[in-house]
């Protein structure tokens, strides 16, 4: 039996996934967590074959934290189960070492098949992701910079590109305006630009937004 842990923010997702796999012949959902900080405790106390992880999970701010989990718990495979753009996020996740990316618009049957495949040591990615990985390999170092952005930084960048002001973004995300200013400074540094106009243009050029 493949032992699975689901890490997701929303109770409805936990309920749906748990219900679907309740009587599955090969998959057993043995743990549920709603915060990234809880994952380590689960992996230390239970034998987990596959971790189903949403990149927008509370407490998860960077793909580098996912790499840390993979490094410290090498026997556990990770499948990203997310509503974020597969075209943008899957190549980065695969390069970080996860075994697959399943978009939340897919049927749970697809998630189940993916769990079985990755437990057998296979990597799950569609043709679009394969093409993006090939493209990334050809890009210059500066063009790869956006891969270092955290999920929250990408989120802030999207709102900035949409014309939102710092205080508006702060209200939308439930953060204070000073925090948004900090994210903005990080974005300017990471994308090697000095002003908002160039930041937005760079983001559009790299198809981040």
């Amino acid at each position: 039996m493949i032992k699975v842990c689901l890490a997701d923010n929303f109770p409805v997702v936990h309920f749906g996934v748990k219900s679907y796999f309740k009587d599955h012949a090969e998959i057993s959902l043995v743990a549920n967590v709603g915060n990234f900080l809880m994952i380590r405790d689960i992996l230390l106390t239970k034998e987990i074959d596959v971790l189903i992880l949403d990149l927008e999970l509370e407490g998860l701010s960077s793909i580098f934290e996912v790499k840390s989990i993979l490094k410290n718990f090498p026997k556990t495979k990770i499948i990203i189960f997310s509503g974020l753009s597969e075209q943008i996020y899957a190549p980065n996740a695969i390069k970080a070492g996860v075994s697959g990316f399943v978009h939340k618009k897919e049927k749970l049957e697809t998630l189940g098949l993916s769990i079985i495949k990755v437990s057998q040591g296979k990597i799950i990615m569609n043709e679009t992701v394969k093409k993006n990985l090939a493209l990334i390999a050809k890009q210059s170092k500066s063009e790869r910079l956006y891969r270092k952005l955290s999920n929250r930084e990408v989120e802030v960048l999207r709102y900035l590109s949409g014309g939102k002001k710092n205080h508006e973004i702060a209200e939308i995300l439930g953060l204070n305006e000073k925090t948004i200013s900090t994210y903005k400074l990080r974005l300017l540094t990471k994308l090697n630009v000095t002003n908002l106009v160039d930041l937005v243009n760079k983001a559009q050029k790299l198809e981040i937004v």
Side-chain angles (χ1 to χ4, degrees):
M1 190 69 81
I2 304 168
K3 298 180 179 66
V4 174
C5 172
L6 173 65
D8 195 279
N9 290 329
F10 302 105
V12 67
V13 175
H14 286 280
F15 177 79
V17 173
K18 185 176 181 179
S19 298
Y20 181 82
F21 291 111
K22 183 174 64 173
D23 300 315
H24 200 283
E26 299 179 70
I27 297 169
S28 176
L29 188 62
V30 298
N32 297 72
V33 299
N35 187 292
F36 187 75
L37 297 178
M38 299 168 65
I39 292 176
R40 185 176 295 274
D41 291 337
I42 290 293
L43 295 180
L44 285 171
T45 56
K46 292 188 177 184
E47 184 179 331
I48 301 296
D49 300 308
V50 180
L51 170 65
I52 308 301
L53 174 67
D54 189 344
L55 286 177
E56 295 182 291
L57 182 68
E58 183 179 347
L60 174 59
S61 61
S62 169
I63 195 67
F64 296 106
E65 292 176 309
V66 177
K67 291 179 70 173
S68 176
I69 290 293
L70 289 164
K71 180 181 179 181
N72 292 317
F73 303 93
K75 292 183 179 180
T76 300
K77 308 292 184 182
I78 294 181
I79 293 177
I80 300 301
F81 186 49
S82 176
L84 293 171
S85 169
E86 189 170 8
Q87 182 177 351
I88 294 174
Y89 290 91
N92 196 26
I94 296 294
K95 288 189 68 179
V98 308
S99 297
F101 189 109
V102 178
H103 198 278
K104 284 186 174 179
K105 67 183 178 183
E106 299 288 347
K107 296 179 180 179
L108 287 177
E109 179 183 4
T110 300
L111 178 61
L113 291 172
S114 298
I115 291 171
I116 293 171
K117 288 180 180 178
V118 302
S119 71
Q120 297 169 344
K122 298 177 182 177
I123 304 296
I124 307 301
M125 62 176 130
N126 62 29
E127 289 303 316
T128 298
V129 175
K130 289 179 181 178
K131 290 178 181 177
N132 280 357
L133 284 170
L135 180 61
I136 292 169
K138 297 178 182 178
Q139 290 177 332
S140 65
K141 184 176 180 180
S142 62
E143 289 176 313
R144 294 191 199 122
L145 282 175
Y146 81 94
R147 302 291 172 185
K148 297 181 180 179
L149 301 185
S150 70
N151 297 324
R152 181 65 84 186
E153 287 167 346
V154 171
E155 196 171 31
V156 170
L157 181 53
R158 284 173 176 160
Y159 286 121
L160 287 171
S161 299
K164 299 289 186 184
K165 305 297 183 184
N166 285 13
H167 69 90
E168 294 175 311
I169 300 172
E171 184 175 351
I172 292 170
L173 298 180
L175 301 171
N176 62 55
E177 192 171 345
K178 184 177 180 180
T179 299
I180 300 303
S181 296
T182 299
Y183 279 124
K184 186 176 177 180
L185 286 173
R186 290 181 188 171
L187 288 165
L188 290 168
T189 301
K190 288 186 176 182
L191 293 182
N192 196 28
V193 291
T194 57
N195 58 72
L196 180 59
V197 173
D198 287 344
L199 178 65
V200 172
N201 288 337
K202 188 70 169 285
Q204 291 173 342
K205 178 183 176 182
L206 297 177
E207 298 182 349
I208 301 175
V209 296

